[in-house]
Amino acid sequence: MIDAKRERLERPLALTSGDPSGIGPEIALRAWLATHADAASPGFFIVADPAHLSDLARDLGWNIPVVETDPAGAPALFGRALPVVPSQQRVMGKPGRPDPGDAAATIASIERCVEYVRAGLAPALVTNPISKEVLHRAGFAHPGHTEFLAELALRLFGETRRPVMMLWSQDLAVVPATIHVPLKDVPGLLTSALLVETGRIVAHDLEHRFGLKSPRLAFAGLNPHAGEGGDMGREDIDIIKPALAELARDGIIVSGPHPADTLFHAEARKRYDAVIAMYHDQALIPIKTLAFDQAVNVTLGLPFIRTSPDHGTAFDIAGKGLADPTSLLAALRLAQRLAFAECPVIS
């Protein structure tokens, strides 16, 4: 049996560059400062422009050696330098001033990191924040990271998967059933089949990746007060309740639909392990209120592990030395725990 500690040291996590004009490079540098001297912390390499990282560290006054390598050479370097697998393209943008010319390298960084995971050179993928607006201006066809990762799952692993976004922290885990869509479109997109598929994926990964036996899923209602028995909309009765009944027949522990305004206080959180919300803000407002710096974006349903900090590119503070690496560090630690079965992650 392979020693888990030795394997952690020999197989560092793959970290993407994110948008190089955002705070991704800065928090990657800070994450290395926080972890390189601790053998228990997750080691990683980043696919990025080494010169850009070196220049940024110098400009911020941080003594961080940046060394070019390949994934196999990263473990020997991590204790003394930030291992960087070169992206083969110089960064064109400036901190806070993104350039669509960097889009190709940003996308390639994601692809190459997934390829490294597929090849067994990294146990998991951690992604830095991207700017969808910048990528879309350059012709990127996907709504965001999650959908692109589903394409890579098919292209590189030969598996058709529906990815599910979960925001996780020690205090709360939430899953939005619909994500980046206008609020007016949500009722039309919600179906019992969608909720059943989402519930099955969440229950499976909570058990098999997070080490939680018999996970309890709470479903939020769509309408105020979960519809008030149909007086404020029938979606909770006609769509959500049939989905819960089918999931219960599968043996999954479910409850709801619950009024969302009373679902997230401390006492309520003791009664479930994850909430499946009906739309983006219903899920993200409570977790960002409770755990803004500690929350991690985890993509469930993929044939590989992917985590990400739960924040954006923060162009307004990029390059100023103000970016907080806490969420990236949480993403790295969670990826390590999931990759090396250091479970249960949820207790």
Side-chain angles (χ1 to χ4, degrees):
M1 181 176 180
I2 298 174
D3 180 78
K5 181 177 179 181
R6 180 180 175 185
E7 189 177 7
R8 284 202 310 270
L9 295 174
E10 292 180 350
R11 297 180 67 217
L13 303 168
L15 176 63
T16 69
S17 64
D19 191 299
S21 297
I23 61 172
E26 189 173 327
I27 59 177
L29 291 166
R30 282 184 178 261
W32 180 83
L33 278 174
T35 59
H36 74 280
D38 181 2
S41 292
F44 62 91
F45 61 85
I46 182 170
V47 177
D49 174 9
H52 174 67
L53 287 166
S54 184
D55 291 347
L56 179 61
R58 182 201 63 218
D59 293 344
L60 292 171
W62 298 341
N63 182 23
I64 301 178
V66 173
V67 177
E68 295 186 24
T69 186
D70 58 20
L77 285 172
F78 190 77
R80 59 182 175 85
L82 174 62
V84 183
V85 177
S87 60
Q88 310 301 331
Q89 179 176 317
R90 288 298 306 266
V91 168
M92 301 170 67
K94 303 295 182 184
R97 290 185 288 162
D99 190 317
D102 289 323
T106 300
I107 296 166
S109 177
I110 302 168
E111 292 178 320
R112 288 176 63 188
C113 284
V114 175
E115 288 170 354
Y116 292 142
V117 174
R118 178 69 180 87
L121 296 172
L125 167 71
V126 182
T127 59
N128 262 315
I130 60 173
S131 168
K132 287 171 284 195
E133 179 183 354
V134 173
L135 294 184
H136 290 160
R137 292 209 313 263
F140 186 63
H142 301 278
H145 256 134
T146 305
E147 296 82 3
F148 184 42
L149 292 172
E151 179 196 299
L152 294 176
L154 177 60
R155 191 199 313 166
L156 300 177
F157 290 77
E159 299 185 22
T160 300
R161 296 292 189 96
R162 177 176 167 250
V164 170
M165 182 175 79
M166 181 170 77
L167 284 302
W168 176 90
S169 73
Q170 291 287 359
D171 297 317
L172 177 65
V174 293
V175 173
T178 62
I179 308 177
H180 299 119
V181 297
L183 188 58
K184 66 181 177 61
D185 295 342
V186 169
L189 293 171
L190 281 178
T191 65
S192 295
L194 171 69
L195 296 178
V196 168
E197 184 182 29
T198 301
R200 287 171 175 162
I201 291 169
V202 174
H204 177 275
D205 279 20
L206 285 180
E207 179 175 356
H208 295 282
R209 284 206 167 146
F210 282 73
L212 182 64
K213 300 301 180 185
S214 302
R216 302 164 298 166
L217 307 183
F219 283 69
L222 173 67
N223 298 298
H225 303 171
E228 287 275 14
D231 288 345
M232 286 193 284
R234 291 199 53 87
E235 291 89 353
D236 302 277
I237 296 172
D238 297 339
I239 296 173
I240 303 176
K241 283 190 174 182
L244 300 188
E246 184 168 346
L247 289 167
R249 288 193 292 271
D250 288 347
I252 297 171
I253 301 172
V254 294
S255 64
H258 301 284
D261 61 350
T262 57
L263 189 53
F264 298 103
H265 63 84
E267 191 61 31
R269 296 199 305 273
K270 296 177 183 178
R271 298 193 286 270
Y272 56 76
D273 299 300
V275 167
I276 296 180
M278 297 301 107
Y279 54 92
H280 181 278
D281 285 10
Q282 191 183 56
L284 272 66
I285 287 173
I287 194 166
K288 290 194 175 185
T289 300
L290 289 169
F292 184 79
D293 292 325
Q294 293 81 32
V296 177
N297 186 338
V298 189
T299 305
L300 309 180
L302 293 173
F304 53 89
I305 295 164
R306 180 263 179 152
T307 67
S308 179
D310 181 28
H311 58 67
T313 52
F315 290 130
D316 57 322
I317 63 169
K320 299 177 181 178
L322 302 176
D324 186 346
T326 302
S327 187
L328 175 58
L329 288 167
L332 290 163
R333 290 178 181 128
L334 180 60
Q336 176 180 268
R337 293 171 71 181
L338 296 176
F340 297 108
E342 296 173 353
C343 291
V345 175
I346 300 174
S347 58

